[in-house]
């Protein structure tokens, strides 16, 4: 047996996950390669959205993507463990739980805040460089507001209601944007006037967001100021004490919430490894262009941990940097294992920056476009969704849509709260049962009409039988008769007359009688104005005309095709059985989602076959409403959905293709 090659990925961040995906895809069918990814958290953290959790815009789950979701049924071991040290010579990594041997290692343990040895800052500030940091800040702000609401000492109260973010890079500005919105919510909740609060951004440089060009910076600054943010530029922080931020010019800002986002360095874990550090690299590890450590040819460093000068400039600690360094590392490991001579060298290809300032506004310089407001936010969301689709499929994109738009509170989205309001399951209950009942009646009626009396053939060429939708039949008959003589315009009023008569009569018998006397009734009921309109245009004709182009094409292409393989009797039985099954499922709230989809599908097929009328469209709209879990309120789905979800999420298919509902079970 060939030697097993072991690849150990240390850290499941942007770099580690990306490398894992590439390596797994390549070696999926090679049993001689084992890939293990170790992370101290059971989930991949979406670091770029941490500020949203810290500022209570989204829930904590929105930045946690479980590794089970990402790697599902893939051939890669995901291990929860914290690596303490790595012995590169002996080729093993020592974790809290066990030791991991490797032939190749990819180190991607991320970054930490840099405090530049400024006295008191580390001890007296919050940071935002991990999931735990975001949660700590989130709870602190809520807590301080609730305490401030009852504080009587005006000096203490003022200190409690002052929030300071140091640093105006993208982390600082994104955080302050969230805090401004969070502040408004908290003020309402705790009956505190907004005028009592101060949200301050302190920056040592002469402008905010130095990574962006002038016009965008100005727009961002204006938006912040309009939202009530005090921006202190050219203000260096020289120290911090409990409850105090000290500035170089002697100013002292009193606050109980001081967040430090001014600098970033490689994680102390990585800095503690016995590998060469980059000169002025702040704990980052020196790599060559192949992303190999300069010390060991089998040790690769990716993402925020790696230090590489490209054209004299260090590769920035950003997501694209993590992806691109990971890709180079993964490709070179593949080349080494396969003995290929073509090595890959790092060449950056960055697409720009997108900065959100709260949930409603942002600025971006990405993909060659400088945008702000709606466009910038749309772009940021699209890029996030694209990333999530790449790592965990459509399921994770749907989770994102839920967190960012459908479940968002306090209108903190760039589309406002339009998508947020929810209808409780009991409101559509009667509609669900009625929709189901109509399908059942329809199936039963078809049997009564003689659909199973094969000798007699079908009695109805229309979707719904007389008991359910008499008007449609008569309209169709009139239309089809008229089209046979080529006089659509003359027929339409007749059909309309019958529809009108039906609506008034309301009962099948009455409609039938009206139908017999259609010619006379039409003459009396339909006035000349209606005739004139009908001659001009029937807006529903292109879609609903049974002899129109669309339905003729559909019938010839698909229905005739079906009948070539399926006896007409079989088809009739299938339709009746489906109608009954859809009806019963909707009535009892059992597999409601699937029944609703089938209901919509049937209506679509009937429409395309020219057997549907515009006044039956409510079937489709009602079924759409049922898609949102209507069967779980007073329906069997209350018990069946969790059971089937558990089963489905454990299947290999769901795990392999990321088609699970919620989290994978295995
Ligand atoms: C608030 C914030 C906003 C940001 N916004 C943007 C942005 O808009 N655009 C952008 O491009 N970049 C942004 N960044 C930067 C970006 O998030 C990082 O560059 C990126 O996360 C680096 O990826 P990584 O794989 O190197 O590290 P990370 O993504 O940090 O992953 C490191 C992983 O290693 C694990 N780990 C660490 N130590 C150990 C150990 N000893 N044992 C086991 N596991 C370990 C951690 O749990 C973590 O999962 C932002 C960062 C922050 C904090």
């Amino acid at each position: 047996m060939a030697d097993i090659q072991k690849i150990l990925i240390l850290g499941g961040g942007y770099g580690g996950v990306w490398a894992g995906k590439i390596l797994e895809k390549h070696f999926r069918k090679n049993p001689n390669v084992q890939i293990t990814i170790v992370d101290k958290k059971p989930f991949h953290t979406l670091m770029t959205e941490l500020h949203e959790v810290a500022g209570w815009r989204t829930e904590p789950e929105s930045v946690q993507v479980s590794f089970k979701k990402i790697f599902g049924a893939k051939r890669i071991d995901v291990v929860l463990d914290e690596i303490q040290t790595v012995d590169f010579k002996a080729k093993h990594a020592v974790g809290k739980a066990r030791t991991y041997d490797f032939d190749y290692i990819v180190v991607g343990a991320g970054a930490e805040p840099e405090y530049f040895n400024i006295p008191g800052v580390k001890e007296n500030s919050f940071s935002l460089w991990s999931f735990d940091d975001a949660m700590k800040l989130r709870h602190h702000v809520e807590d301080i507001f609730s305490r401030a609401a009852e504080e009587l000492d005006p000096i203490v109260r003022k200190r409690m209601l002052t929030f300071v973010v140091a640093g105006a890079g993208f982390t600082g500005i994104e955080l302050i944007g969230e805090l401004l919105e969070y502040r408004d919510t908290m003020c309402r909740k705790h009956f505190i006037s907004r005028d009592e609060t101060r949200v301050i951004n302190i920056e040592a440089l002469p402008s905010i967001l130095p990574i962006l060009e002038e016009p965008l910076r100005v727009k961002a600054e204006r938006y912040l100021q309009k939202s009530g943010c005090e921006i202190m530029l050219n203000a260096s922080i020289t120290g911090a004490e409990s409850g105090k931020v000290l500035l170089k010019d002697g100013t002292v800002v009193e606050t109980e919430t001081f967040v430090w986002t001014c600098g970033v360095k490689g994680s102390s874990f990585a800095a503690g490894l016995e590998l060469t550090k980059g000169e002025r690299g702040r704990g980052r590890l020196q790599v060559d262009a192949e992303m190999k450590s300069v010390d060991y040819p089998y040790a690769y460093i990716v993402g925020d941990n790696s230090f590489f000068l490209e054209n004299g400039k260090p590769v920035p600690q950003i997501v694209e940097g993590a992806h691109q360094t990971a890709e180079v590392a993964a490709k070179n490991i593949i080349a080494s294992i396969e003995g290929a001579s073509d090595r890959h060298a790092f060449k950056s290809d960055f697409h720009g920056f997108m900065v959100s300032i709260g949930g409603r506004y942002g600025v971006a310089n990405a993909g060659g476009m400088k945008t702000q407001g709606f466009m910038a936010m749309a772009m940021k969301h699209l890029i996030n969704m694209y990333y999530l689709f790449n790592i965990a499929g459509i399921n994770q994109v749907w989770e994102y849509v839920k967190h960012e738009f459908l479940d968002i509170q306090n209108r903190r989205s760039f589309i406002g709260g339009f998508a947020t309001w929810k209808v409780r399951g009991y409101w559509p209950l009667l509609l669900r049962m009625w929709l189901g009942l109509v399908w059942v009646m329809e199936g039963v009626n078809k049997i009564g009409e003689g659909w199973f009396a094969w000798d007699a053939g079908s009695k109805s060429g229309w979707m719904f039988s007389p008991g359910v939708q008499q008007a449609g039949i008569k309209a169709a008959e009139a239309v089809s008769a008229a089209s046979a003589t080529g006089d659509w315009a003359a027929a339409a009023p007749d059909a309309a007359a019958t529809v009108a008569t039906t609506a008034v009569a309301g009962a099948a018998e009455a409609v039938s009688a009206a139908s017999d006397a259609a010619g006379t009734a039409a003459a009396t009921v339909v006035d000349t104005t209606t005739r004139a309109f009908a001659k001009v245009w029937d807006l529903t004709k292109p879609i609903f005309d049974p002899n129109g182009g669309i339905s003729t094409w559909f019938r010839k292409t698909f229905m005739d095709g079906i009948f070539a393989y399926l006896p007409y009797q079989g088809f009739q039985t299938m339709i009746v059985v489906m109608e009954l099954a859809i009806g019963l499922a909707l009535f009892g709230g059992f597999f409601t989602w699937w029944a609703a989809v089938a209901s919509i599908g049937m209506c679509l097929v009937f429409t395309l076959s020219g057997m549907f009328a515009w006044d039956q469209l409510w079937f489709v709209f009602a079924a759409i409403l049922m898609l949102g879990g209507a069967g779980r309120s007073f329906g069997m789905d209350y018990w069946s959905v969790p059971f089937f979800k558990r089963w489905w999420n454990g299947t290999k298919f769901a795990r392999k293709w990321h088609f699970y509902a919620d989290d994978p079970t295995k």
Side-chain angles (χ1 to χ4, degrees), residues 181-205:
E181 290 182 357
Y182 191 16
R183 181 263 322 257
D184 294 348
T185 312
M186 287 292 112
C187 283
R188 276 197 302 274
K189 186 171 170 187
H190 295 286
F191 311 102
I192 293 171
S193 161
R194 207 178 104 152
D195 297 340
E196 274 195 78
T197 65
R198 287 179 79 194
V199 180
I200 308 168
N201 182 229
I202 302 180
E203 169 59 52
L205 296 175

PDB file of all heavy atoms in Angstrom, residues 181-205:
ATOM      1  N   GLU A 181     -26.971  52.789  15.183  1.00  0.00           N
ATOM      2  CA  GLU A 181     -28.338  52.245  15.046  1.00  0.00           C
ATOM      3  C   GLU A 181     -28.781  51.540  16.329  1.00  0.00           C
ATOM      4  O   GLU A 181     -29.924  51.653  16.756  1.00  0.00           O
ATOM      5  CB  GLU A 181     -28.381  51.261  13.873  1.00  0.00           C
ATOM      6  CG  GLU A 181     -28.246  51.932  12.526  1.00  0.00           C
ATOM      7  CD  GLU A 181     -28.327  50.962  11.359  1.00  0.00           C
ATOM      8  OE1 GLU A 181     -28.426  49.734  11.579  1.00  0.00           O
ATOM      9  OE2 GLU A 181     -28.266  51.429  10.213  1.00  0.00           O
ATOM     10  N   TYR A 182     -27.859  50.818  16.915  1.00  0.00           N
ATOM     11  CA  TYR A 182     -28.144  50.086  18.157  1.00  0.00           C
ATOM     12  C   TYR A 182     -28.518  51.078  19.265  1.00  0.00           C
ATOM     13  O   TYR A 182     -29.428  50.867  20.059  1.00  0.00           O
ATOM     14  CB  TYR A 182     -26.883  49.299  18.520  1.00  0.00           C
ATOM     15  CG  TYR A 182     -27.006  48.270  19.622  1.00  0.00           C
ATOM     16  CD1 TYR A 182     -28.232  47.799  20.062  1.00  0.00           C
ATOM     17  CD2 TYR A 182     -25.850  47.741  20.207  1.00  0.00           C
ATOM     18  CE1 TYR A 182     -28.306  46.832  21.062  1.00  0.00           C
ATOM     19  CE2 TYR A 182     -25.917  46.772  21.205  1.00  0.00           C
ATOM     20  CZ  TYR A 182     -27.143  46.338  21.630  1.00  0.00           C
ATOM     21  OH  TYR A 182     -27.214  45.391  22.615  1.00  0.00           O
ATOM     22  N   ARG A 183     -27.778  52.192  19.275  1.00  0.00           N
ATOM     23  CA  ARG A 183     -28.042  53.245  20.255  1.00  0.00           C
ATOM     24  C   ARG A 183     -29.505  53.709  20.164  1.00  0.00           C
ATOM     25  O   ARG A 183     -30.211  53.820  21.162  1.00  0.00           O
ATOM     26  CB  ARG A 183     -27.061  54.408  19.975  1.00  0.00           C
ATOM     27  CG  ARG A 183     -27.118  55.598  20.876  1.00  0.00           C
ATOM     28  CD  ARG A 183     -27.951  56.784  20.356  1.00  0.00           C
ATOM     29  NE  ARG A 183     -27.889  57.069  18.943  1.00  0.00           N
ATOM     30  CZ  ARG A 183     -27.183  58.062  18.426  1.00  0.00           C
ATOM     31  NH1 ARG A 183     -26.420  58.812  19.176  1.00  0.00           N
ATOM     32  NH2 ARG A 183     -27.250  58.317  17.126  1.00  0.00           N
ATOM     33  N   ASP A 184     -29.978  53.937  18.934  1.00  0.00           N
ATOM     34  CA  ASP A 184     -31.360  54.409  18.761  1.00  0.00           C
ATOM     35  C   ASP A 184     -32.362  53.401  19.322  1.00  0.00           C
ATOM     36  O   ASP A 184     -33.322  53.773  19.995  1.00  0.00           O
ATOM     37  CB  ASP A 184     -31.655  54.652  17.270  1.00  0.00           C
ATOM     38  CG  ASP A 184     -30.815  55.796  16.725  1.00  0.00           C
ATOM     39  OD1 ASP A 184     -30.204  56.510  17.541  1.00  0.00           O
ATOM     40  OD2 ASP A 184     -30.756  55.961  15.492  1.00  0.00           O
ATOM     41  N   THR A 185     -32.110  52.126  19.044  1.00  0.00           N
ATOM     42  CA  THR A 185     -33.029  51.086  19.544  1.00  0.00           C
ATOM     43  C   THR A 185     -33.009  51.046  21.068  1.00  0.00           C
ATOM     44  O   THR A 185     -34.049  50.961  21.722  1.00  0.00           O
ATOM     45  CB  THR A 185     -32.588  49.698  19.015  1.00  0.00           C
ATOM     46  OG1 THR A 185     -32.346  49.815  17.625  1.00  0.00           O
ATOM     47  CG2 THR A 185     -33.629  48.640  19.279  1.00  0.00           C
ATOM     48  N   MET A 186     -31.810  51.108  21.621  1.00  0.00           N
ATOM     49  CA  MET A 186     -31.672  51.028  23.081  1.00  0.00           C
ATOM     50  C   MET A 186     -32.312  52.237  23.764  1.00  0.00           C
ATOM     51  O   MET A 186     -32.916  52.115  24.821  1.00  0.00           O
ATOM     52  CB  MET A 186     -30.189  50.953  23.468  1.00  0.00           C
ATOM     53  CG  MET A 186     -29.534  49.638  23.177  1.00  0.00           C
ATOM     54  SD  MET A 186     -30.175  48.328  24.222  1.00  0.00           S
ATOM     55  CE  MET A 186     -31.019  47.327  23.070  1.00  0.00           C
ATOM     56  N   CYS A 187     -32.162  53.411  23.136  1.00  0.00           N
ATOM     57  CA  CYS A 187     -32.765  54.618  23.720  1.00  0.00           C
ATOM     58  C   CYS A 187     -34.277  54.451  23.801  1.00  0.00           C
ATOM     59  O   CYS A 187     -34.896  54.781  24.808  1.00  0.00           O
ATOM     60  CB  CYS A 187     -32.421  55.851  22.872  1.00  0.00           C
ATOM     61  SG  CYS A 187     -30.749  56.421  23.146  1.00  0.00           S
ATOM     62  N   ARG A 188     -34.858  53.930  22.699  1.00  0.00           N
ATOM     63  CA  ARG A 188     -36.325  53.727  22.711  1.00  0.00           C
ATOM     64  C   ARG A 188     -36.700  52.720  23.791  1.00  0.00           C
ATOM     65  O   ARG A 188     -37.632  52.914  24.554  1.00  0.00           O
ATOM     66  CB  ARG A 188     -36.785  53.208  21.345  1.00  0.00           C
ATOM     67  CG  ARG A 188     -37.025  54.300  20.318  1.00  0.00           C
ATOM     68  CD  ARG A 188     -37.847  53.782  19.149  1.00  0.00           C
ATOM     69  NE  ARG A 188     -37.236  52.653  18.481  1.00  0.00           N
ATOM     70  CZ  ARG A 188     -36.324  52.740  17.513  1.00  0.00           C
ATOM     71  NH1 ARG A 188     -35.922  53.925  17.114  1.00  0.00           N
ATOM     72  NH2 ARG A 188     -35.804  51.673  16.950  1.00  0.00           N
ATOM     73  N   LYS A 189     -35.920  51.641  23.859  1.00  0.00           N
ATOM     74  CA  LYS A 189     -36.256  50.549  24.783  1.00  0.00           C
ATOM     75  C   LYS A 189     -36.155  50.997  26.246  1.00  0.00           C
ATOM     76  O   LYS A 189     -36.942  50.576  27.084  1.00  0.00           O
ATOM     77  CB  LYS A 189     -35.303  49.378  24.507  1.00  0.00           C
ATOM     78  CG  LYS A 189     -35.615  48.136  25.288  1.00  0.00           C
ATOM     79  CD  LYS A 189     -34.773  46.966  24.811  1.00  0.00           C
ATOM     80  CE  LYS A 189     -34.923  45.807  25.769  1.00  0.00           C
ATOM     81  NZ  LYS A 189     -34.027  44.716  25.449  1.00  0.00           N
ATOM     82  N   HIS A 190     -35.165  51.833  26.523  1.00  0.00           N
ATOM     83  CA  HIS A 190     -34.930  52.191  27.926  1.00  0.00           C
ATOM     84  C   HIS A 190     -35.372  53.614  28.264  1.00  0.00           C
ATOM     85  O   HIS A 190     -34.966  54.158  29.303  1.00  0.00           O
ATOM     86  CB  HIS A 190     -33.448  51.987  28.269  1.00  0.00           C
ATOM     87  CG  HIS A 190     -33.030  50.550  28.181  1.00  0.00           C
ATOM     88  ND1 HIS A 190     -33.389  49.629  29.121  1.00  0.00           N
ATOM     89  CD2 HIS A 190     -32.327  49.882  27.244  1.00  0.00           C
ATOM     90  CE1 HIS A 190     -32.901  48.439  28.777  1.00  0.00           C
ATOM     91  NE2 HIS A 190     -32.259  48.568  27.642  1.00  0.00           N
ATOM     92  N   PHE A 191     -36.154  54.218  27.382  1.00  0.00           N
ATOM     93  CA  PHE A 191     -36.733  55.540  27.634  1.00  0.00           C
ATOM     94  C   PHE A 191     -35.644  56.576  27.929  1.00  0.00           C
ATOM     95  O   PHE A 191     -35.721  57.356  28.877  1.00  0.00           O
ATOM     96  CB  PHE A 191     -37.737  55.485  28.797  1.00  0.00           C
ATOM     97  CG  PHE A 191     -38.718  54.350  28.646  1.00  0.00           C
ATOM     98  CD1 PHE A 191     -38.568  53.185  29.377  1.00  0.00           C
ATOM     99  CD2 PHE A 191     -39.754  54.442  27.729  1.00  0.00           C
ATOM    100  CE1 PHE A 191     -39.450  52.125  29.210  1.00  0.00           C
ATOM    101  CE2 PHE A 191     -40.633  53.388  27.559  1.00  0.00           C
ATOM    102  CZ  PHE A 191     -40.488  52.227  28.301  1.00  0.00           C
ATOM    103  N   ILE A 192     -34.601  56.537  27.111  1.00  0.00           N
ATOM    104  CA  ILE A 192     -33.498  57.499  27.272  1.00  0.00           C
ATOM    105  C   ILE A 192     -33.498  58.399  26.044  1.00  0.00           C
ATOM    106  O   ILE A 192     -33.694  57.917  24.920  1.00  0.00           O
ATOM    107  CB  ILE A 192     -32.148  56.745  27.378  1.00  0.00           C
ATOM    108  CG1 ILE A 192     -32.111  55.935  28.668  1.00  0.00           C
ATOM    109  CG2 ILE A 192     -30.961  57.682  27.280  1.00  0.00           C
ATOM    110  CD1 ILE A 192     -30.931  54.996  28.790  1.00  0.00           C
ATOM    111  N   SER A 193     -33.290  59.700  26.264  1.00  0.00           N
ATOM    112  CA  SER A 193     -33.246  60.609  25.115  1.00  0.00           C
ATOM    113  C   SER A 193     -31.932  60.394  24.357  1.00  0.00           C
ATOM    114  O   SER A 193     -30.868  60.250  24.959  1.00  0.00           O
ATOM    115  CB  SER A 193     -33.331  62.054  25.597  1.00  0.00           C
ATOM    116  OG  SER A 193     -32.856  62.904  24.596  1.00  0.00           O
ATOM    117  N   ARG A 194     -32.044  60.433  23.023  1.00  0.00           N
ATOM    118  CA  ARG A 194     -30.850  60.266  22.191  1.00  0.00           C
ATOM    119  C   ARG A 194     -29.837  61.380  22.461  1.00  0.00           C
ATOM    120  O   ARG A 194     -28.633  61.182  22.345  1.00  0.00           O
ATOM    121  CB  ARG A 194     -31.295  60.293  20.720  1.00  0.00           C
ATOM    122  CG  ARG A 194     -30.378  59.534  19.799  1.00  0.00           C
ATOM    123  CD  ARG A 194     -30.917  59.576  18.396  1.00  0.00           C
ATOM    124  NE  ARG A 194     -30.139  60.528  17.611  1.00  0.00           N
ATOM    125  CZ  ARG A 194     -29.973  60.423  16.296  1.00  0.00           C
ATOM    126  NH1 ARG A 194     -30.545  59.453  15.633  1.00  0.00           N
ATOM    127  NH2 ARG A 194     -29.253  61.299  15.646  1.00  0.00           N
ATOM    128  N   ASP A 195     -30.363  62.553  22.855  1.00  0.00           N
ATOM    129  CA  ASP A 195     -29.470  63.690  23.098  1.00  0.00           C
ATOM    130  C   ASP A 195     -28.536  63.455  24.279  1.00  0.00           C
ATOM    131  O   ASP A 195     -27.530  64.144  24.439  1.00  0.00           O
ATOM    132  CB  ASP A 195     -30.297  64.957  23.376  1.00  0.00           C
ATOM    133  CG  ASP A 195     -31.136  65.325  22.175  1.00  0.00           C
ATOM    134  OD1 ASP A 195     -30.782  64.851  21.068  1.00  0.00           O
ATOM    135  OD2 ASP A 195     -32.144  66.034  22.332  1.00  0.00           O
ATOM    136  N   GLU A 196     -28.911  62.507  25.112  1.00  0.00           N
ATOM    137  CA  GLU A 196     -28.053  62.224  26.272  1.00  0.00           C
ATOM    138  C   GLU A 196     -26.838  61.375  25.895  1.00  0.00           C
ATOM    139  O   GLU A 196     -25.920  61.218  26.685  1.00  0.00           O
ATOM    140  CB  GLU A 196     -28.855  61.427  27.318  1.00  0.00           C
ATOM    141  CG  GLU A 196     -29.660  62.255  28.272  1.00  0.00           C
ATOM    142  CD  GLU A 196     -30.091  61.397  29.457  1.00  0.00           C
ATOM    143  OE1 GLU A 196     -29.277  61.137  30.358  1.00  0.00           O
ATOM    144  OE2 GLU A 196     -31.257  60.970  29.449  1.00  0.00           O
ATOM    145  N   THR A 197     -26.880  60.776  24.724  1.00  0.00           N
ATOM    146  CA  THR A 197     -25.802  59.836  24.353  1.00  0.00           C
ATOM    147  C   THR A 197     -24.743  60.511  23.489  1.00  0.00           C
ATOM    148  O   THR A 197     -25.023  61.504  22.814  1.00  0.00           O
ATOM    149  CB  THR A 197     -26.365  58.637  23.556  1.00  0.00           C
ATOM    150  OG1 THR A 197     -26.868  59.130  22.317  1.00  0.00           O
ATOM    151  CG2 THR A 197     -27.459  57.925  24.312  1.00  0.00           C
ATOM    152  N   ARG A 198     -23.547  59.946  23.528  1.00  0.00           N
ATOM    153  CA  ARG A 198     -22.472  60.394  22.619  1.00  0.00           C
ATOM    154  C   ARG A 198     -21.852  59.157  21.986  1.00  0.00           C
ATOM    155  O   ARG A 198     -21.525  58.191  22.698  1.00  0.00           O
ATOM    156  CB  ARG A 198     -21.374  61.123  23.385  1.00  0.00           C
ATOM    157  CG  ARG A 198     -21.749  62.492  23.860  1.00  0.00           C
ATOM    158  CD  ARG A 198     -20.579  63.101  24.618  1.00  0.00           C
ATOM    159  NE  ARG A 198     -19.543  63.638  23.732  1.00  0.00           N
ATOM    160  CZ  ARG A 198     -18.314  63.973  24.140  1.00  0.00           C
ATOM    161  NH1 ARG A 198     -17.968  63.801  25.409  1.00  0.00           N
ATOM    162  NH2 ARG A 198     -17.423  64.458  23.295  1.00  0.00           N
ATOM    163  N   VAL A 199     -21.714  59.181  20.668  1.00  0.00           N
ATOM    164  CA  VAL A 199     -21.009  58.086  19.987  1.00  0.00           C
ATOM    165  C   VAL A 199     -19.832  58.747  19.277  1.00  0.00           C
ATOM    166  O   VAL A 199     -20.012  59.601  18.405  1.00  0.00           O
ATOM    167  CB  VAL A 199     -21.924  57.349  18.986  1.00  0.00           C
ATOM    168  CG1 VAL A 199     -21.165  56.225  18.292  1.00  0.00           C
ATOM    169  CG2 VAL A 199     -23.154  56.792  19.704  1.00  0.00           C
ATOM    170  N   ILE A 200     -18.625  58.373  19.696  1.00  0.00           N
ATOM    171  CA  ILE A 200     -17.441  59.112  19.232  1.00  0.00           C
ATOM    172  C   ILE A 200     -16.483  58.174  18.496  1.00  0.00           C
ATOM    173  O   ILE A 200     -16.216  57.057  18.944  1.00  0.00           O
ATOM    174  CB  ILE A 200     -16.681  59.729  20.433  1.00  0.00           C
ATOM    175  CG1 ILE A 200     -17.646  60.537  21.303  1.00  0.00           C
ATOM    176  CG2 ILE A 200     -15.527  60.596  19.968  1.00  0.00           C
ATOM    177  CD1 ILE A 200     -17.054  60.941  22.646  1.00  0.00           C
ATOM    178  N   ASN A 201     -15.995  58.672  17.365  1.00  0.00           N
ATOM    179  CA  ASN A 201     -14.954  57.935  16.653  1.00  0.00           C
ATOM    180  C   ASN A 201     -13.654  58.732  16.753  1.00  0.00           C
ATOM    181  O   ASN A 201     -13.618  59.909  16.400  1.00  0.00           O
ATOM    182  CB  ASN A 201     -15.360  57.742  15.181  1.00  0.00           C
ATOM    183  CG  ASN A 201     -14.343  56.932  14.405  1.00  0.00           C
ATOM    184  OD1 ASN A 201     -13.920  57.311  13.319  1.00  0.00           O
ATOM    185  ND2 ASN A 201     -13.937  55.810  14.952  1.00  0.00           N
ATOM    186  N   ILE A 202     -12.607  58.057  17.271  1.00  0.00           N
ATOM    187  CA  ILE A 202     -11.324  58.752  17.432  1.00  0.00           C
ATOM    188  C   ILE A 202     -10.306  58.155  16.459  1.00  0.00           C
ATOM    189  O   ILE A 202     -10.109  56.939  16.418  1.00  0.00           O
ATOM    190  CB  ILE A 202     -10.800  58.608  18.880  1.00  0.00           C
ATOM    191  CG1 ILE A 202     -11.840  59.168  19.867  1.00  0.00           C
ATOM    192  CG2 ILE A 202      -9.465  59.310  19.046  1.00  0.00           C
ATOM    193  CD1 ILE A 202     -11.414  59.073  21.327  1.00  0.00           C
ATOM    194  N   GLU A 203      -9.681  59.029  15.672  1.00  0.00           N
ATOM    195  CA  GLU A 203      -8.744  58.555  14.649  1.00  0.00           C
ATOM    196  C   GLU A 203      -7.491  59.437  14.660  1.00  0.00           C
ATOM    197  O   GLU A 203      -7.588  60.662  14.677  1.00  0.00           O
ATOM    198  CB  GLU A 203      -9.445  58.584  13.274  1.00  0.00           C
ATOM    199  CG  GLU A 203      -8.550  58.381  12.082  1.00  0.00           C
ATOM    200  CD  GLU A 203      -7.792  57.056  12.093  1.00  0.00           C
ATOM    201  OE1 GLU A 203      -8.430  56.002  12.256  1.00  0.00           O
ATOM    202  OE2 GLU A 203      -6.544  57.080  11.957  1.00  0.00           O
ATOM    203  N   ALA A 204      -6.328  58.778  14.618  1.00  0.00           N
ATOM    204  CA  ALA A 204      -5.077  59.539  14.655  1.00  0.00           C
ATOM    205  C   ALA A 204      -4.764  60.217  13.318  1.00  0.00           C
ATOM    206  O   ALA A 204      -4.092  61.245  13.261  1.00  0.00           O
ATOM    207  CB  ALA A 204      -3.932  58.604  15.041  1.00  0.00           C
ATOM    208  N   LEU A 205      -5.281  59.648  12.222  1.00  0.00           N
ATOM    209  CA  LEU A 205      -4.995  60.202  10.893  1.00  0.00           C
ATOM    210  C   LEU A 205      -5.925  61.386  10.592  1.00  0.00           C
ATOM    211  O   LEU A 205      -6.938  61.570  11.266  1.00  0.00           O
ATOM    212  CB  LEU A 205      -5.174  59.117   9.824  1.00  0.00           C
ATOM    213  CG  LEU A 205      -4.202  57.931   9.906  1.00  0.00           C
ATOM    214  CD1 LEU A 205      -4.563  56.879   8.877  1.00  0.00           C
ATOM    215  CD2 LEU A 205      -2.764  58.398   9.716  1.00  0.00           C
TER     216      LEU A 205
END
